[in-house]
Amino acid sequence: MGEAGTKQAKRTEPSTWTGRGDGAHPRRHRIAVLALPGVPPFELGIPSRVFGSALDAEGRPLYEVVVCTADGAPVLSDAGFVVQPAAGSEALATADTVIVPPTHAMPELAEGGPLPAEVEAAIAGIRPGTRLVSICSGSYVLAAAGLLDGRPATTHWNLAPEFRRAYPAVKLDEEVLFVDDGDVLTSAGVAAGVDLCLHVIRRDHGAAVANRTARMCVVPPWRDGGQAQYIDRPVPEPTAASTTATRAWALEHLGEELPLTRLAEHARMSLRSFTRRFRDEAGMTPVQWLTAQRLELAKQLLETTDLSIDLVAHRAGFGSANSLRAHMRTAFGVSPAAYRRTFCPHEPAAAG
Protein backbone atom coordinates (compact mmCIF):
# COMPACT_ATOMS: atom_id res chain seq x y z
CA MET A 1 0.00 0.00 0.00
CA GLY A 2 1.55 2.30 -0.23
CA GLU A 3 -4.36 21.22 -5.90
CA ALA A 4 -1.27 23.71 -6.08
CA GLY A 5 -1.48 27.16 -4.74
CA THR A 6 -3.88 25.74 -2.19
CA LYS A 7 -3.27 24.80 1.40
CA GLN A 8 -5.81 22.01 1.17
CA ALA A 9 -3.93 19.43 -0.85
CA LYS A 10 -0.33 18.46 -1.32
CA ARG A 11 -0.83 16.58 -4.56
CA THR A 12 -3.74 16.20 -6.94
CA GLU A 13 -3.80 14.15 -10.11
CA PRO A 14 -6.38 12.49 -12.35
CA SER A 15 -7.41 9.26 -10.68
CA THR A 16 -7.24 5.70 -11.99
CA TRP A 17 -9.14 4.24 -9.05
CA THR A 18 -12.68 3.81 -10.37
CA GLY A 19 -13.54 0.31 -11.61
CA ARG A 20 -14.45 -0.03 -15.27
CA GLY A 21 -16.83 -2.99 -15.27
CA ASP A 22 -18.07 -4.13 -18.66
CA GLY A 23 -18.43 -0.71 -20.25
CA ALA A 24 -22.23 -0.63 -20.41
CA HIS A 25 -22.43 -1.17 -16.65
CA PRO A 26 -19.26 0.21 -15.05
CA ARG A 27 -18.40 -1.37 -11.71
CA ARG A 28 -18.90 1.00 -8.85
CA HIS A 29 -15.83 1.93 -6.89
CA ARG A 30 -15.93 0.01 -3.60
CA ILE A 31 -15.32 1.95 -0.38
CA ALA A 32 -14.99 0.22 2.99
CA VAL A 33 -15.36 2.40 6.09
CA LEU A 34 -13.70 0.84 9.13
CA ALA A 35 -15.75 1.54 12.27
CA LEU A 36 -13.64 1.16 15.40
CA PRO A 37 -14.83 1.21 19.04
CA GLY A 38 -15.47 4.77 20.17
CA VAL A 39 -16.12 6.06 16.64
CA PRO A 40 -17.89 9.46 16.50
CA PRO A 41 -21.14 9.07 14.52
CA PHE A 42 -20.68 12.26 12.52
CA GLU A 43 -17.31 11.29 11.08
CA LEU A 44 -18.48 7.70 10.55
CA GLY A 45 -21.39 8.95 8.45
CA ILE A 46 -19.43 11.35 6.24
CA PRO A 47 -18.26 8.81 3.61
CA SER A 48 -21.68 7.19 3.17
CA ARG A 49 -23.40 10.56 2.87
CA VAL A 50 -20.91 12.24 0.53
CA PHE A 51 -19.91 9.33 -1.71
CA GLY A 52 -23.49 8.09 -1.69
CA SER A 53 -24.52 11.42 -3.25
CA ALA A 54 -22.05 11.13 -6.15
CA LEU A 55 -23.93 10.19 -9.33
CA ASP A 56 -22.97 9.95 -12.98
CA ALA A 57 -24.73 11.86 -15.77
CA GLU A 58 -27.45 9.18 -15.90
CA GLY A 59 -28.08 9.41 -12.16
CA ARG A 60 -26.33 6.13 -11.32
CA PRO A 61 -24.28 5.84 -8.11
CA LEU A 62 -20.55 6.04 -8.69
CA TYR A 63 -19.54 4.48 -5.38
CA GLU A 64 -20.55 1.52 -3.25
CA VAL A 65 -19.96 2.26 0.44
CA VAL A 66 -20.01 -0.39 3.16
CA VAL A 67 -19.39 0.09 6.90
CA CYS A 68 -17.39 -2.73 8.45
CA THR A 69 -15.61 -3.59 11.69
CA ALA A 70 -12.38 -5.47 12.25
CA ASP A 71 -14.19 -8.66 13.30
CA GLY A 72 -17.71 -8.12 11.98
CA ALA A 73 -19.08 -7.52 15.49
CA PRO A 74 -21.00 -4.37 16.53
CA VAL A 75 -19.00 -1.54 18.10
CA LEU A 76 -20.06 1.09 20.61
CA SER A 77 -19.88 4.64 19.25
CA ASP A 78 -18.70 7.51 21.42
CA ALA A 79 -22.32 8.74 21.44
CA GLY A 80 -23.39 5.70 23.42
CA PHE A 81 -25.24 3.75 20.75
CA VAL A 82 -24.13 0.60 18.97
CA VAL A 83 -23.06 0.55 15.34
CA GLN A 84 -24.12 -2.61 13.53
CA PRO A 85 -21.70 -3.16 10.63
CA ALA A 86 -22.65 -4.65 7.29
CA ALA A 87 -19.42 -6.68 7.08
CA GLY A 88 -16.19 -7.67 8.76
CA SER A 89 -12.58 -7.35 7.66
CA GLU A 90 -13.33 -9.16 4.40
CA ALA A 91 -14.73 -5.84 3.13
CA LEU A 92 -11.31 -4.27 3.58
CA ALA A 93 -9.69 -7.00 1.50
CA THR A 94 -11.95 -6.31 -1.51
CA ALA A 95 -12.19 -2.52 -1.30
CA ASP A 96 -10.75 -0.05 -3.78
CA THR A 97 -10.60 2.59 -1.03
CA VAL A 98 -10.49 2.10 2.75
CA ILE A 99 -11.54 4.99 4.98
CA VAL A 100 -10.66 5.11 8.68
CA PRO A 101 -12.71 7.54 10.79
CA PRO A 102 -11.41 8.49 14.26
CA THR A 103 -11.74 6.46 17.43
CA HIS A 104 -11.98 7.77 20.98
CA ALA A 105 -11.50 4.39 22.61
CA MET A 106 -7.82 3.67 21.89
CA PRO A 107 -5.86 6.08 24.11
CA GLU A 108 -2.74 3.96 23.71
CA LEU A 109 -2.37 5.23 20.14
CA ALA A 110 -1.75 8.74 21.49
CA GLU A 111 1.43 7.38 23.06
CA GLY A 112 2.53 5.54 19.93
CA GLY A 113 1.25 2.23 21.31
CA PRO A 114 0.30 -0.78 19.18
CA LEU A 115 -3.02 -1.38 17.48
CA PRO A 116 -5.32 -4.02 18.94
CA ALA A 117 -4.49 -7.40 17.39
CA GLU A 118 -7.77 -7.69 15.46
CA VAL A 119 -7.39 -4.19 14.00
CA GLU A 120 -3.78 -4.84 13.03
CA ALA A 121 -4.79 -8.08 11.33
CA ALA A 122 -7.66 -6.41 9.48
CA ILE A 123 -5.43 -3.64 8.15
CA ALA A 124 -2.77 -6.16 7.16
CA GLY A 125 -5.38 -7.82 4.96
CA ILE A 126 -5.88 -4.73 2.79
CA ARG A 127 -4.73 -5.37 -0.76
CA PRO A 128 -1.57 -3.63 -2.02
CA GLY A 129 -2.53 -0.61 -4.10
CA THR A 130 -5.71 0.12 -2.17
CA ARG A 131 -6.27 3.82 -1.60
CA LEU A 132 -6.15 4.65 2.13
CA VAL A 133 -7.99 7.60 3.67
CA SER A 134 -8.24 8.80 7.26
CA ILE A 135 -10.59 11.36 8.77
CA CYS A 136 -9.42 13.46 11.73
CA SER A 137 -7.59 11.27 14.29
CA GLY A 138 -8.11 8.21 12.12
CA SER A 139 -4.60 9.20 11.07
CA TYR A 140 -3.40 7.68 14.37
CA VAL A 141 -4.57 4.27 13.16
CA LEU A 142 -2.69 4.57 9.87
CA ALA A 143 0.37 5.90 11.68
CA ALA A 144 0.31 3.08 14.25
CA ALA A 145 0.19 0.61 11.35
CA GLY A 146 3.35 2.22 9.91
CA LEU A 147 1.52 3.41 6.81
CA LEU A 148 2.40 7.09 7.24
CA ASP A 149 6.12 6.74 7.95
CA GLY A 150 8.07 9.20 5.83
CA ARG A 151 4.90 10.56 4.26
CA PRO A 152 3.11 13.92 4.54
CA ALA A 153 -0.10 13.79 6.56
CA THR A 154 -2.40 15.86 8.71
CA THR A 155 -4.78 15.48 11.64
CA HIS A 156 -6.82 17.77 13.89
CA TRP A 157 -4.72 20.85 14.68
CA ASN A 158 -5.31 20.44 18.41
CA LEU A 159 -3.67 17.00 18.34
CA ALA A 160 -0.54 18.05 16.43
CA PRO A 161 1.95 18.21 19.37
CA GLU A 162 0.75 14.85 20.69
CA PHE A 163 0.82 13.26 17.24
CA ARG A 164 4.37 14.46 16.57
CA ARG A 165 5.61 12.96 19.82
CA ALA A 166 3.92 9.64 19.13
CA TYR A 167 4.81 9.38 15.42
CA PRO A 168 7.95 11.40 14.68
CA ALA A 169 8.48 9.60 11.34
CA VAL A 170 5.35 11.24 9.89
CA LYS A 171 5.71 14.58 8.09
CA LEU A 172 2.80 16.27 9.83
CA ASP A 173 1.29 19.51 8.55
CA GLU A 174 -1.45 20.68 10.91
CA GLU A 175 -2.28 23.83 8.94
CA VAL A 176 -3.99 22.14 5.98
CA LEU A 177 -7.53 20.79 5.66
CA PHE A 178 -6.26 17.61 4.04
CA VAL A 179 -3.19 16.06 2.46
CA ASP A 180 -3.30 14.08 -0.78
CA ASP A 181 -0.20 11.92 -1.08
CA GLY A 182 -1.46 9.80 -3.95
CA ASP A 183 -2.55 6.48 -2.49
CA VAL A 184 -2.73 7.77 1.09
CA LEU A 185 -4.89 10.76 2.02
CA THR A 186 -5.49 12.26 5.45
CA SER A 187 -7.85 14.99 6.63
CA ALA A 188 -8.00 17.41 9.49
CA GLY A 189 -10.69 17.38 12.14
CA VAL A 190 -14.39 16.65 11.81
CA ALA A 191 -15.87 18.60 8.84
CA ALA A 192 -12.56 18.49 6.97
CA GLY A 193 -13.55 14.88 6.24
CA VAL A 194 -16.26 16.33 3.97
CA ASP A 195 -13.64 18.43 2.18
CA LEU A 196 -11.47 15.38 1.64
CA CYS A 197 -14.31 13.19 0.35
CA LEU A 198 -15.30 15.89 -2.14
CA HIS A 199 -11.65 16.17 -3.17
CA VAL A 200 -11.53 12.43 -3.83
CA ILE A 201 -14.68 12.66 -5.97
CA ARG A 202 -13.17 15.61 -7.84
CA ARG A 203 -9.98 13.62 -8.38
CA ASP A 204 -11.90 10.56 -9.57
CA HIS A 205 -14.58 12.19 -11.71
CA GLY A 206 -13.84 15.89 -12.11
CA ALA A 207 -15.13 19.17 -10.75
CA ALA A 208 -18.62 18.95 -12.28
CA VAL A 209 -19.47 15.72 -10.43
CA ALA A 210 -17.90 16.99 -7.20
CA ASN A 211 -19.85 20.24 -7.44
CA ARG A 212 -23.14 18.39 -7.99
CA THR A 213 -22.36 16.20 -5.00
CA ALA A 214 -21.58 19.24 -2.85
CA ARG A 215 -24.89 20.83 -3.82
CA MET A 216 -26.75 17.66 -2.86
CA CYS A 217 -25.01 17.71 0.53
CA VAL A 218 -25.59 21.48 0.88
CA VAL A 219 -21.90 22.20 1.47
CA PRO A 220 -19.38 24.31 -0.45
CA PRO A 221 -17.45 22.42 -3.17
CA TRP A 222 -14.23 23.56 -1.54
CA ARG A 223 -13.22 25.79 1.34
CA ASP A 224 -10.62 28.51 1.27
CA GLY A 225 -7.47 28.14 3.31
CA GLY A 226 -6.60 25.47 5.81
CA GLN A 227 -6.76 24.74 9.52
CA ALA A 228 -4.75 27.85 10.23
CA GLN A 229 -7.95 29.89 10.22
CA TYR A 230 -9.48 27.65 12.92
CA ILE A 231 -6.53 27.38 15.30
CA ASP A 232 -7.26 29.00 18.66
CA ARG A 233 -5.75 32.48 18.54
CA PRO A 234 -6.74 35.86 19.99
CA VAL A 235 -9.98 37.03 18.38
CA PRO A 236 -9.67 40.25 16.32
CA GLU A 237 -11.50 43.30 17.54
CA PRO A 238 -15.13 43.29 16.37
CA THR A 239 -14.58 46.58 14.57
CA ALA A 240 -11.66 45.23 12.56
CA ALA A 241 -12.15 45.23 8.78
CA SER A 242 -12.61 41.98 6.88
CA THR A 243 -11.37 40.78 3.49
CA THR A 244 -14.51 38.70 2.85
CA ALA A 245 -16.11 41.19 0.46
CA THR A 246 -12.87 41.60 -1.45
CA ARG A 247 -12.50 37.85 -1.87
CA ALA A 248 -16.05 37.63 -3.23
CA TRP A 249 -15.31 40.51 -5.58
CA ALA A 250 -12.05 38.93 -6.74
CA LEU A 251 -13.87 35.71 -7.66
CA GLU A 252 -15.90 37.75 -10.15
CA HIS A 253 -12.76 39.30 -11.66
CA LEU A 254 -10.30 36.40 -11.85
CA GLY A 255 -9.62 37.05 -15.54
CA GLU A 256 -8.31 40.53 -14.76
CA GLU A 257 -5.00 41.63 -13.33
CA LEU A 258 -5.37 41.61 -9.56
CA PRO A 259 -2.20 42.98 -7.96
CA LEU A 260 -2.11 43.25 -4.20
CA THR A 261 -2.45 47.01 -4.40
CA ARG A 262 -5.78 46.69 -6.23
CA LEU A 263 -7.11 44.16 -3.73
CA ALA A 264 -6.03 46.29 -0.77
CA GLU A 265 -7.63 49.36 -2.35
CA HIS A 266 -10.91 47.47 -2.79
CA ALA A 267 -10.78 46.41 0.89
CA ARG A 268 -9.92 50.00 1.87
CA MET A 269 -6.89 48.90 3.82
CA SER A 270 -3.19 49.53 3.69
CA LEU A 271 -1.22 46.87 1.82
CA ARG A 272 0.36 45.64 5.05
CA SER A 273 -2.94 45.46 6.95
CA PHE A 274 -4.71 43.77 4.05
CA THR A 275 -2.03 41.09 3.67
CA ARG A 276 -2.02 40.33 7.39
CA ARG A 277 -5.82 40.30 7.67
CA PHE A 278 -6.18 38.16 4.53
CA ARG A 279 -3.80 35.52 5.84
CA ASP A 280 -5.56 35.44 9.22
CA GLU A 281 -8.95 34.95 7.59
CA ALA A 282 -8.09 32.68 4.63
CA GLY A 283 -5.16 30.73 6.03
CA MET A 284 -2.92 31.63 3.09
CA THR A 285 -1.46 34.65 1.33
CA PRO A 286 -3.51 36.60 -1.24
CA VAL A 287 -1.27 35.33 -4.04
CA GLN A 288 -1.70 31.70 -2.97
CA TRP A 289 -5.46 32.17 -2.70
CA LEU A 290 -5.74 33.79 -6.13
CA THR A 291 -3.70 31.02 -7.72
CA ALA A 292 -5.92 28.37 -6.12
CA GLN A 293 -9.12 30.06 -7.32
CA ARG A 294 -7.75 30.54 -10.82
CA LEU A 295 -6.71 26.91 -11.01
CA GLU A 296 -10.18 25.85 -9.93
CA LEU A 297 -11.76 28.05 -12.61
CA ALA A 298 -9.34 26.69 -15.23
CA LYS A 299 -10.26 23.10 -14.33
CA GLN A 300 -13.96 23.86 -14.64
CA LEU A 301 -13.45 25.54 -18.03
CA LEU A 302 -11.36 22.61 -19.27
CA GLU A 303 -14.07 20.16 -18.19
CA THR A 304 -17.17 22.01 -19.29
CA THR A 305 -16.16 23.99 -22.40
CA ASP A 306 -14.29 23.43 -25.64
CA LEU A 307 -12.36 26.68 -25.29
CA SER A 308 -8.76 26.56 -26.45
CA ILE A 309 -6.04 26.32 -23.83
CA ASP A 310 -5.10 29.94 -24.59
CA LEU A 311 -8.64 31.17 -23.93
CA VAL A 312 -8.93 29.11 -20.76
CA ALA A 313 -5.68 30.63 -19.53
CA HIS A 314 -6.86 34.18 -20.22
CA ARG A 315 -10.32 33.70 -18.69
CA ALA A 316 -8.80 32.16 -15.57
CA GLY A 317 -6.35 35.03 -15.19
CA PHE A 318 -3.09 33.26 -16.04
CA GLY A 319 -2.39 35.47 -19.04
CA SER A 320 -0.92 32.82 -21.30
CA ALA A 321 -1.16 29.12 -22.04
CA ASN A 322 2.46 28.68 -20.95
CA SER A 323 1.69 30.18 -17.54
CA LEU A 324 -1.36 27.92 -17.12
CA ARG A 325 0.68 24.85 -18.14
CA ALA A 326 3.39 25.70 -15.62
CA HIS A 327 0.90 26.20 -12.79
CA MET A 328 -1.06 23.04 -13.59
CA ARG A 329 2.08 20.93 -13.82
CA THR A 330 3.25 22.28 -10.48
CA ALA A 331 -0.14 21.81 -8.85
CA PHE A 332 -1.41 18.61 -10.43
CA GLY A 333 1.48 17.07 -12.36
CA VAL A 334 -0.41 17.26 -15.69
CA SER A 335 -0.81 19.70 -18.56
CA PRO A 336 -4.15 21.39 -19.31
CA ALA A 337 -4.64 19.17 -22.37
CA ALA A 338 -3.94 16.00 -20.39
CA TYR A 339 -6.37 17.12 -17.70
CA ARG A 340 -9.07 17.72 -20.31
CA ARG A 341 -8.49 14.32 -21.90
CA THR A 342 -8.86 12.64 -18.51
CA PHE A 343 -12.17 14.26 -17.57
CA CYS A 344 -13.61 14.97 -21.02
CA PRO A 345 -12.26 12.10 -23.16
CA HIS A 346 -14.93 12.72 -25.82
CA GLU A 347 -13.77 16.28 -26.39
CA PRO A 348 -10.90 17.03 -28.80
CA ALA A 349 -8.32 19.04 -26.89
CA ALA A 350 -6.21 21.86 -28.25
CA ALA A 351 -2.48 21.38 -27.96
CA GLY A 352 -1.46 21.94 -24.38
Side-chain angles (χ1 to χ4, degrees), residues 242-259:
S242 170
T243 64
T244 301
T246 297
R247 278 179 279 150
W249 173 82
L251 289 174
E252 301 297 323
H253 298 80
L254 289 176
E256 304 173 18
E257 290 189 16
L258 295 174

Side-chain angles (χ1 to χ4, degrees), residues 140-295:
Y140 280 71
V141 177
L142 297 185
L147 299 171
L148 297 183
D149 287 355
R151 306 189 73 147
T154 192
T155 193
H156 194 293
W157 63 265
N158 196 41
L159 300 175
E162 172 187 277
F163 188 96
R164 281 198 174 90
R165 289 192 298 269
Y167 305 103
V170 181
K171 300 175 182 177
L172 186 72
D173 184 351
E174 70 272 27
E175 293 197 351
V176 297
L177 290 176
F178 58 80
V179 170
D180 178 345
D181 194 39
D183 59 342
V184 178
L185 301 91
T186 52
S187 86
V190 196
V194 176
D195 297 296
L196 180 51
C197 289
L198 287 172
H199 167 74
V200 170
I201 294 171
R202 187 178 299 111
R203 196 177 102 169
D204 287 351
H205 299 287
V209 173
N211 291 348
R212 287 201 306 269
T213 303
R215 285 195 294 271
M216 287 298 296
C217 296
V218 200
V219 296
W222 71 90
R223 285 192 289 165
D224 298 337
Q227 289 193 85
Q229 59 193 310
Y230 302 106
I231 295 174
D232 188 17
R233 296 191 176 102
V235 178
E237 291 297 322
T239 56
S242 170
T243 64
T244 301
T246 297
R247 278 179 279 150
W249 173 82
L251 289 174
E252 301 297 323
H253 298 80
L254 289 176
E256 304 173 18
E257 290 189 16
L258 295 174
L260 283 177
T261 51
R262 187 180 179 190
L263 296 174
E265 181 180 353
H266 182 276
R268 298 182 180 180
M269 299 182 194
S270 70
L271 186 60
R272 181 176 179 181
S273 295
F274 174 78
T275 302
R276 182 177 65 251
R277 176 65 57 187
F278 194 104
R279 190 178 186 100
D280 288 343
E281 293 180 353
M284 60 178 74
T285 68
V287 172
Q288 290 171 329
W289 182 87
L290 276 174
T291 301
Q293 306 311 314
R294 284 170 165 161
L295 282 169

